[in-house]
Amino acid sequence: MKLHIEEIKKLIPHREPFLFVDTCEIITPGEHGKSEKFFSNDEYFFKGHFPNNPIVPGVIIVEAMAQTAGIVVSYQLRDYDEKSVLFMSVNKAKFRKPILPNENVSFEVKFINSVRDVYKFEGTCYKEDIKVSEAEFSAMITYK
């Protein structure tokens, strides 16, 4: 199932300028998904990161992976209206190649494990078919 921006906004609370997923394909609800993001040259962070040499900050790349995982998990739990996905940790983050303005990238996330309401995922970022970054991260699901 491929989700577009309005469907994504129903699953996670992120909004512009801090929503870093344009589309998300749910491969296995709660476990595996792929998303895409086009980083246009007018993204707010390029002005300061870095002047005359703009690149997407690593924290934005990891955030996009985490948002993808949040969408994948929230899609599985979409019957629960009052929930939040809260980022907890990042490990093993690696950045191999920069992402520049006007580039399209894809993110793939895969479930590693969960303990109670804490989910751990591995994420990978690709530019075309080239791996540009990766990380492991965890998030907690809270219910109101």
Side-chain angles (χ1 to χ4, degrees):
M1 150 122 342
K2 190 162 190 173
L3 305 174
H4 296 278
I5 198 73
E6 291 308 314
E7 296 158 308
I8 289 167
K9 287 179 179 179
K10 292 176 185 174
L11 296 173
I12 62 174
H14 303 78
R15 297 294 182 268
E16 294 294 333
F18 214 76
L19 178 58
F20 301 115
V21 175
D22 294 333
T23 64
C24 185
E25 179 184 2
I26 307 294
I27 297 167
T28 306
E31 296 184 15
H32 186 198
K34 294 181 180 180
S35 67
E36 292 184 354
K37 172 67 178 166
F38 177 75
F39 287 102
S40 67
N41 66 349
D42 62 349
E43 301 284 350
Y44 73 92
F45 46 78
F46 285 140
K47 183 178 176 183
H49 196 270
F50 297 100
N52 302 318
N53 186 26
I55 63 171
V56 176
V59 295
I60 301 290
I61 296 166
V62 173
E63 175 66 24
M65 288 184 222
Q67 287 180 15
T68 302
I71 295 163
V72 169
V73 170
S74 292
Y75 184 80
Q76 181 183 21
L77 303 173
R78 64 191 179 280
D79 292 338
Y80 298 92
D81 290 333
E82 298 291 321
K83 69 181 171 317
S84 295
V85 180
L86 306 171
F87 212 175
M88 291 181 64
S89 69
V90 178
N91 294 299
K92 301 180 184 176
K94 295 180 182 171
F95 305 96
R96 292 175 163 60
K97 296 187 182 293
I99 299 170
L100 306 174
N102 295 317
E103 289 189 328
N104 195 61
V105 294
S106 62
F107 303 97
E108 183 171 12
V109 297
K110 294 180 181 175
F111 174 79
I112 297 173
N113 64 29
S114 66
V115 177
R116 297 185 190 186
D117 292 332
V118 176
Y119 290 72
K120 186 174 183 181
F121 276 83
E122 62 182 6
T124 309
C125 177
Y126 298 93
K127 196 164 54 170
E128 297 178 3
D129 288 330
I130 299 167
K131 183 190 296 186
V132 296
S133 62
E134 61 191 281
E136 287 183 1
F137 46 90
S138 64
M140 177 175 41
I141 310 266
T142 61
Y143 302 91
K144 295 180 183 175

